[in-house]
């Protein structure tokens, strides 16, 4: 599959089982949602467990005909599952395309040779292109447990990946899935924000402006990793986003843009598997970030990509020095992989917009698109800056004229019209839910707001239930520079359950708040 010259480290084919005398069990769908983790459930007294020596947490190869997955084994003792039956989680059932009553083979997978490369990286050795490709291939094949994935991600965190390794990781992640091809002569545009700035939901506005300008922007987004909402989480409030490849192509061919979840169309599937574990360990490192972003963009067929890098002491990127380094790496890795990447380093000292959380951010997006009088100015202006830059990158507008053109498209209502038609093509425009429980938070003193802690504010929103609870989050009433009186409203916590509301409020009070007020 791949080659390297290290003795004893010859990569093995992940499709090859350890031995051929596989045990067979009847398959049943057990009705457990494990998201993307593949899990199989077998009785402890099953002949498979006895003969093969399988124990809990073992990785096993489950196959039917030519289809197979590598799944984690959970050993159970309840009588609802017969000894001759294997229960499969929903994701494994779908991946294997099973029907009730099918028989599956259960066997040992091949030896996981690529773990030696992970161990090498733990000791800060440089990985070759072939070694990285082998690791990614094993991840996509399902051969890595969550522990293996977390180990690999941690070993690559910080500055432990050099630029060559990041490019190799990006390329391997692209090749792990399909790459979209668009039958358009125009440049294929895309944008991404590196995150860390609550409420910065510019993407739906930018896509609407770009598509209304007659350009192509097939936007695929991920769900939140460490924030209270990702673009996919917010768009899911407004319209269906679980588009198939064929549905996505239909929307883009008709409207010039879409707002879809990338996890449903097999674009860089290795990235989706890594994101699930990154979310659990609250890790989003620099090298992984670049590989994650660019692999998704290249797989989506983008030729021109704009990356927004918000920078501030409580943002994900905290210093101008790191922002410049990240910018240089994005551009360099993009060039190496054949796409044009441009970056914008923007202010990241406070949240953007009024809402933090999927539904609250969706309200802000619609307010800007509909040109409502109470629409957040900061969200509007940032979206216009990004859309204008993309118009210039595409060649549609000359230098210095892109933002003027973007503003005209928004102010004339063409962006709002385009957003509505995109949503209708994706399945309809939904109404935005309202949280049933709310807790206002007042100022502790009279003075001026001089600082807002983005990270702690995001944590409050997450403890309130965001992004899983769509209407949960925080609604801001004040920004930096605003004057406040004692007990005047600073923000309101929104939650779908009373318990989550109290949990978020307790955390806010325990940390002493997220607003710094100078008297």
């Amino acid at each position: 599959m791949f080659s390297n010259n290290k003795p004893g480290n010859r990569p093995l084919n992940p499709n090859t089982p350890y031995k051929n005398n596989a045990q067979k069990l009847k398959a049943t769908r057990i009705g457990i949602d494990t998201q993307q983790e593949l899990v199989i459930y077998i009785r402890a007294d099953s002949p498979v467990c006895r003969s093969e020596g399988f124990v809990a947490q073992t990785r096993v190869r489950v196959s039917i005909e030519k289809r197979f997955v590598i799944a984690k084994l959970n050993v159970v003792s309840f009588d609802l599952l017969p000894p001759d039956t294997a229960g499969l989680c929903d994701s494994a059932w779908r991946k294997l395309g099973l029907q009730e009553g099918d028989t599956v083979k259960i066997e040992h997978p091949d030896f996981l040779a690529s773990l030696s490369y992970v161990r090498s990286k733990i000791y800060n050795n440089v990985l070759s292109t072939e070694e990285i490709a082998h690791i990614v291939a094993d991840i996509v094949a399902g051969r890595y447990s969550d522990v293996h994935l977390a180990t690999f991600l941690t070993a690559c965190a910080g500055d432990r990946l050099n630029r060559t390794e990041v490019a190799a990781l990006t390329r391997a992640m692209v090749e792990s899935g399909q790459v979209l091809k668009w039958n358009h002569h125009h440049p294929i545009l895309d944008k991404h924000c590196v995150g860390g700035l609550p409420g910065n939901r510019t993407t739906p506005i930018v896509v609407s402006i770009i598509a209304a300008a007659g350009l192509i922007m097939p936007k695929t987004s991920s769900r939140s990793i460490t924030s209270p909402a990702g673009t996919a989480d917010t768009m899911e409030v407004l319209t269906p986003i679980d588009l198939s490849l064929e549905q996505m192509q239909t929307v883009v061919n008709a409207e010039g843009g879409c707002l879809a979840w990338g996890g449903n169309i097999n674009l860089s599937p290795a990235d989706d598997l890594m994101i699930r574990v990154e979310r659990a360990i609250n890790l989003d490192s620099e090298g992984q970030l670049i590989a994650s972003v660019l692999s998704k963009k290249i797989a989506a067929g983008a030729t021109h990509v704009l990356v927004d890098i918000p920078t501030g002491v409580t943002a994900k990127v905290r210093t101008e020095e790191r922002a410049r380094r990240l910018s240089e790496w994005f551009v360099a890795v993009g060039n190496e992989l054949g796409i044009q990447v441009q970056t914008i380093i923007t202010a990241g000292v406070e949240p953007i917009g009024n809402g933090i959380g999927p539904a609250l951010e969706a309200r802000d997006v619609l307010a800007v698109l509909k040109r409502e009088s109470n629409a957040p100015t900061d969200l509007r202006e940032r979206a216009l800056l990004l859309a204008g830059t993309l118009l210039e990158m595409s060649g549609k507008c000359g230098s210095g004229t892109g933002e003027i053109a973007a503003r005209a498209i928004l102010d004339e209502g063409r962006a709002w019209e385009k957003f509505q038609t995109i949503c209708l093509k994706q399945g309809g425009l939904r109404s935005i839910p309202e949280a049933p429980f709310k807790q206002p938070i007042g100022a502790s003193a009279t003075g001026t707001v001089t600082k807002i802690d983005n990270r702690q504010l995001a944590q409050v929103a997450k403890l309130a239930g965001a992004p899983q609870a769509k209407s949960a989050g925080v609604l801001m009433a004040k920004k930096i520079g605003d004057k406040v009186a004692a007990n005047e409203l600073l923000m309101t916590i929104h939650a779908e359950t009373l318990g989550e509301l109290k949990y978020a409020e307790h955390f806010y009070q325990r940390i002493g708040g997220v607003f710094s007020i100078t008297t």
Side-chain angles (χ1 to χ4, degrees), residues 117-148:
Y117 311 144
V118 176
R119 285 192 291 272
S120 177
K121 192 62 193 174
I122 290 172
Y123 293 99
N124 213 26
N125 294 314
V126 175
L127 297 178
S128 70
T129 297
E130 292 79 11
E131 289 169 339
I132 290 173
H134 191 193
I135 290 170
V136 172
D138 278 341
I139 290 172
V140 174
R143 294 168 56 79
Y144 273 40
S145 68
D146 285 357
V147 172
H148 296 145

Side-chain angles (χ1 to χ4, degrees), residues 13-62:
N13 187 342
N15 297 342
T16 304
Y18 178 70
K19 55 185 179 180
N20 294 323
N21 57 334
Q23 299 286 342
K24 295 184 179 181
L25 294 175
K26 295 176 185 176
T28 187
R29 188 171 191 168
I30 204 165
I32 296 177
D33 180 8
T34 58
Q35 296 188 5
Q36 291 170 302
E37 185 178 16
L38 305 180
V39 182
I40 184 171
Y41 303 83
I42 302 177
R43 282 267 294 268
D45 58 352
S46 164
V48 170
C49 287
R50 292 201 308 269
S51 64
E52 299 298 318
F54 291 146
V55 295
Q57 307 299 306
T58 300
R59 307 294 288 177
V60 296
R61 187 180 193 270
V62 186

Side-chain angles (χ1 to χ4, degrees), residues 196-217:
L197 195 60
N200 191 22
R201 202 56 55 221
T202 58
T203 293
I205 304 167
V206 172
V207 170
S208 302
I209 293 172
I210 295 301
L215 296 169
I216 308 300
M217 193 166 179

Side-chain angles (χ1 to χ4, degrees), residues 197-202 347 350-355 364 378-379 382 479:
L197 195 60
N200 191 22
R201 202 56 55 221
T202 58
E350 64 178 336
I352 300 298
N354 301 324
D364 284 349
D378 53 356
L379 178 63
R382 188 173 290 240
K479 294 291 187 74

Side-chain angles (χ1 to χ4, degrees), residues 36 140 173 176-178 266-274 296:
Q36 291 170 302
V140 174
M173 289 167 66
S176 72
Q178 61 184 337
N266 199 37
L267 300 180
S268 187
D271 184 46
D272 295 325
L273 294 166
M274 293 182 196
K296 277 291 202 299

Side-chain angles (χ1 to χ4, degrees), residues 367-517:
V368 171
L369 286 169
K370 295 164 74 172
R371 293 101 64 215
E372 294 177 355
S373 59
N374 62 344
T377 302
D378 53 356
L379 178 63
R380 170 188 163 90
E381 294 303 315
R382 188 173 290 240
L384 288 172
L385 170 64
L386 298 173
T389 304
L390 280 169
L391 289 172
E392 293 177 19
M393 286 179 68
S394 72
K396 181 82 172 182
C397 295
S399 177
T401 66
E403 193 170 338
I404 296 171
R407 192 176 300 275
I409 291 170
L410 181 62
D411 288 344
E412 292 166 8
R414 287 186 281 154
W416 169 232
E417 182 179 342
K418 178 57 70 174
F419 181 81
Q420 292 178 88
T421 56
I422 288 173
C423 289
L424 288 173
K425 282 287 184 181
Q426 292 189 192
L429 188 58
R430 297 167 170 164
S431 58
I432 300 175
E434 181 82 16
F437 299 96
K438 300 174 185 178
Q439 177 63 53
I441 301 293
S444 58
T446 297
T448 301
V449 177
T450 54
K451 181 182 176 183
I452 298 174
D453 191 317
N454 288 310
R455 291 195 297 276
Q456 298 284 36
L457 185 60
Q459 185 66 10
V460 172
K462 288 191 290 184
L463 292 177
Q468 288 79 14
K470 297 301 183 187
S471 64
V474 170
L475 184 62
M476 304 290 290
K478 297 294 181 182
K479 294 291 187 74
I480 291 176
D482 288 345
K483 296 186 180 301
V484 297
N487 300 317
E488 186 177 354
L489 182 66
L490 293 173
M491 69 181 208
T492 303
I493 303 172
H494 289 227
E496 294 186 0
T497 69
L498 185 59
E500 288 172 317
L501 183 72
K502 295 300 182 184
Y503 192 27
E505 182 189 8
H506 175 73
F507 173 79
Y508 182 91
Q509 300 299 343
R510 183 169 61 82
I511 63 174
V514 299
F515 293 82
S516 295
I517 299 174

Side-chain angles (χ1 to χ4, degrees), residues 308-339:
D308 179 16
I309 308 177
T311 304
V313 291
T314 61
K316 182 179 294 184
V317 180
R318 302 181 188 180
T319 66
E320 288 285 339
E321 180 182 2
R322 187 184 173 214
R324 287 192 296 270
R325 168 187 158 91
L326 200 56
S327 174
E328 292 169 2
W329 278 45
F330 264 117
V331 172
V333 173
N335 287 340
E336 185 165 338
L337 294 174
I339 63 171

